[in-house]
Amino acid sequence: MTAPGPAVPTAELHTGSTATVELRARVAVVQGVIGSLMMFLGSLGTGWIANGSPMVRHPLVIELRVNAWGVYTCTVLLTLGAMLLIRSWLRLGQRLRGWPPGSLKTVTMAVIAWSVPMLFCVPIYSRDVYAYIGQGRLMLAGKDPYVEGISSLDNWFMLGADPEWAQARTPYGPYFLWIAAAVVRLTDAQPDLSVMLFRAAAYVGVVLCLVYVPKLAGLHNLNGARALWISVANPLFLISFVASAHNDALMVGLAVAGVYFAATKHPLLGILLVTGSIGIKPITILLLPFIGLLWAGRNASWLRRFVIWAATASLSFGILALSGMVDGLGLGWAWALLDPTPGYTGYSPSGFLGQQVERIGNHFDLHGDQMAATFRRALQGGAILLVLVLMFVGGDRKIVRRMAVAFAAVVLLSPIIQPWYILWFLPLLAATGIKDNWQIRSIYIVITFFVVFGAQDQLSVWPFINLSVSVSQVAFVIAVAFTLYLALIDPRTRTLLTHGGWRGWFGHGPAWPSTELRPSR
């Protein structure tokens, strides 16, 4: 028995022709564009603008940022826009139910249409993009970003970076540092132009995902349009990888493309692309053992697997080592893997459960903090153990799926999870199968949670503005109210989590049974 499809109003279950389905889907696309435009307008008053940016002297920006009405209006626009985008994403999936021919084109159109306004946003949900400017300046100044923080530079704070980056070593690979140096050289560190170029680099990663997520899904006899809708059209992906301009977008895009080529008997090209991904952010080094398995081929002996693993590692690390010699940084990026950032986030499984362990320990007059630290290290060790198991168990079956699960385990069992970290492995999971039961419903919840979290957590308001109610509180109330509306009131979306009862959550059949074995055209 297959798992039931997502809840869709009865009137939409009999949609008639493919043209009718596409027309109704485009209504959701248009609604998403409205949400994205609202976010663009809202970013003018609440996005992160560098103190040294000419934008701070623009009359419209001044009007929106020095008056309470402007700040509140922009907060409402940004938050409502984000929530409308969530609803549009959910409705797009409902209206394309069954994923008929033409669905891939519609989802691609949605990604492009929803992302275009975000290309021109003031950075929202994160200001890491301004730290990239500082890292590019370090490179041009002949300093080692793996040793020195951006506070060693003059005027670093005026260029918009979070003070947390002041003395932090960069966790990025050499190729991204080359990109950062090139951007700063071209713009002379002008913050607004730099943001646009970093955003363009990130958008290359978005395009790579647009192209290769459906192709990778097709290799696994899954619907490419649905995989793209889950992994790339979702609002968290677009906000994090376009509006926030995170370099993770390029890392993910190169990784997905590399996995696709490795899976289609082009292992050397796959290794080169994944090595490029590691050169952006080193975390994708986790993919190399599985790339080696794809290279080894079907029914490979253990001797061949070990030889191929050695060849894969030698080729990738050799290229990275040679790249490090170009600018004298060597393998300095390896610190990000060997000496990760201390601390934890309270919403990560490791962070939250560790807090409970600490409370229990303290209740019994034990060393709760030490117990929590040990617990978190145990979870990390468990993730590494699982990676090894997935490397050695399973032979040549479901290699990409095992890769995705291994990547997800390392991320989800880490003490620190930033909202966009789940986007690292989501394209690989979507391309290898996310069932229409607790799996897709968990995606709904996680995406919505992180969009809501970012909407109230990352708002930039000038400190001298006197507000009777904080913008974070306003954004939180709006986001929670809209989420409750989607879950309990909206006749179109309220059954998404409840359709089919417990069987809807724990059914074991494949998702979208009518088209699961037919790749999208």
Side-chain angles (χ1 to χ4, degrees):
M1 180 179 295
T2 58
V8 183
T10 303
E12 295 189 33
L13 293 176
H14 307 287
T15 53
S17 67
T18 299
T20 303
V21 172
E22 291 183 2
L23 179 62
R24 292 182 174 179
R26 288 177 183 178
V27 173
V29 174
V30 171
Q31 292 171 343
V33 171
I34 294 172
S36 188
L37 286 170
M38 291 171 66
M39 295 187 73
F40 161 73
L41 294 174
S43 75
L44 298 177
T46 58
W48 294 101
I49 299 179
N51 292 332
S53 167
M55 284 184 64
V56 299
R57 296 186 293 275
H58 192 282
L60 176 60
V61 172
I62 293 174
E63 188 70 15
L64 292 175
R65 287 184 174 257
V66 302
N67 296 299
W69 68 266
V71 173
Y72 284 133
T73 299
C74 288
T75 299
V76 171
L77 284 171
L78 181 69
T79 310
L80 279 180
M83 299 309 296
L84 180 58
L85 194 57
I86 286 178
R87 185 184 187 277
S88 302
W89 172 62
L90 296 174
R91 293 294 292 133
L92 181 64
Q94 287 181 316
R95 285 173 165 165
L96 290 177
R97 183 177 187 271
W99 306 95
S103 298
L104 181 58
K105 179 180 178 181
T106 302
V107 176
T108 301
M109 177 179 65
V111 171
I112 295 171
W114 295 348
S115 63
V116 166
M118 295 187 188
L119 284 169
F120 303 98
C121 277
V122 175
I124 54 176
Y125 277 65
S126 170
R127 50 175 160 165
D128 282 359
V129 65
Y130 292 117
Y132 304 163
I133 301 173
Q135 289 149 6
R137 291 179 66 205
L138 284 172
M139 291 286 288
L140 296 183
K143 298 177 181 288
D144 188 344
Y146 299 124
V147 175
E148 298 187 70
I150 60 176
S151 61
S152 62
L153 300 166
D154 294 334
N155 205 38
W156 68 273
F157 186 72
M158 293 297 290
L159 296 180
D162 190 315
E164 290 187 4
W165 283 100
Q167 298 182 27
R169 297 177 291 170
T170 179
Y172 308 133
Y175 302 150
F176 181 72
L177 292 178
W178 293 357
I179 293 172
V183 167
V184 172
R185 186 179 288 112
L186 287 171
T187 64
D188 196 27
Q190 203 282 344
D192 303 324
L193 291 176
S194 297
V195 167
M196 292 305 296
L197 288 182
F198 282 121
R199 191 170 274 153
Y203 207 76
V204 171
V206 175
V207 172
L208 287 171
C209 288
L210 270 175
V211 173
Y212 289 106
V213 165
K215 289 178 178 290
L216 194 57
L219 292 180
H220 294 84
N221 293 324
L222 297 173
N223 189 282
R226 182 174 185 267
L228 192 68
W229 168 72
I230 291 172
S231 60
V232 180
N234 78 72
L236 184 63
F237 186 100
L238 298 176
I239 293 170
S240 300
F241 287 175
V242 181
S244 299
H246 280 296
N247 58 9
D248 307 62
L250 188 54
M251 175 196 79
V252 172
L254 289 169
V256 170
V259 171
Y260 171 76
F261 282 107
T264 52
K265 303 186 185 305
H266 297 87
L268 295 182
L269 180 55
I271 291 171
L272 290 175
L273 288 167
V274 172
T275 300
S277 175
I278 296 169
I280 302 299
K281 292 191 77 169
I283 186 65
T284 47
I285 198 171
L286 288 167
L287 307 185
L288 287 179
F290 300 95
I291 296 294
L293 290 175
L294 291 170
W295 184 4
R298 297 183 64 84
N299 301 316
S301 66
W302 279 110
L303 176 60
R304 175 173 172 78
R305 290 177 193 172
F306 277 103
V307 169
I308 294 297
W309 276 335
T312 300
S314 298
L315 181 59
S316 182
F317 296 159
I319 292 171
L320 290 167
L322 289 173
S323 301
M325 293 174 62
V326 172
D327 45 33
L329 297 179
L331 296 176
W333 51 268
W335 82 265
L337 296 173
L338 302 175
D339 183 24
T341 305
Y344 62 89
T345 48
Y347 51 74
S348 69
S350 174
F352 175 76
L353 294 176
Q355 287 176 324
Q356 312 317 309
V357 169
E358 183 172 359
R359 289 192 179 99
I360 292 171
N362 291 337
H363 177 75
F364 290 101
D365 295 326
L366 302 173
H367 297 288
D369 55 342
Q370 296 179 14
M371 292 173 60
T374 301
F375 175 78
R376 295 188 183 104
R377 286 194 296 270
L379 288 183
Q380 287 181 292
I384 295 172
L385 179 61
L386 180 59
V387 172
L388 293 173
V389 169
L390 292 170
M391 284 172 54
F392 286 96
V393 176
D396 51 24
R397 293 180 290 106
K398 299 184 178 180
I399 293 174
V400 179
R401 180 65 173 187
R402 284 151 48 200
M403 174 195 297
V405 172
F407 205 177
V410 170
V411 172
L412 296 177
L413 295 180
S414 295
I416 294 179
I417 300 178
Q418 299 294 357
W420 56 93
Y421 285 9
I422 68 166
L423 304 173
W424 295 352
F425 58 82
L426 186 58
L428 294 175
L429 280 182
T432 55
I434 291 180
K435 293 180 180 179
D436 189 36
N437 51 17
W438 65 269
Q439 295 179 6
I440 189 62
R441 297 177 189 206
S442 296
I443 298 296
Y444 296 155
I445 293 170
V446 170
I447 295 296
T448 302
F449 170 79
F450 280 127
V451 171
V452 170
F453 178 81
Q456 55 83 35
D457 180 64
Q458 291 287 331
L459 295 170
S460 174
V461 177
W462 287 342
F464 57 82
I465 305 300
N466 185 21
L467 299 174
S468 57
V469 180
S470 75
V471 291
S472 293
Q473 291 176 318
V474 172
F476 179 76
V477 169
I478 293 172
V480 170
F482 203 108
T483 300
L484 292 174
Y485 167 75
L486 291 176
L488 303 176
I489 300 174
D490 189 328
R492 304 295 186 181
T493 61
R494 66 186 181 186
T495 57
L496 279 172
L497 299 180
T498 59
H499 179 67
W502 287 109
R503 175 173 289 184
W505 275 87
F506 299 106
H508 298 291
W512 309 101
S514 61
T515 57
E516 190 69 41
L517 300 179
R518 182 181 61 191
S520 176
R521 286 180 280 173

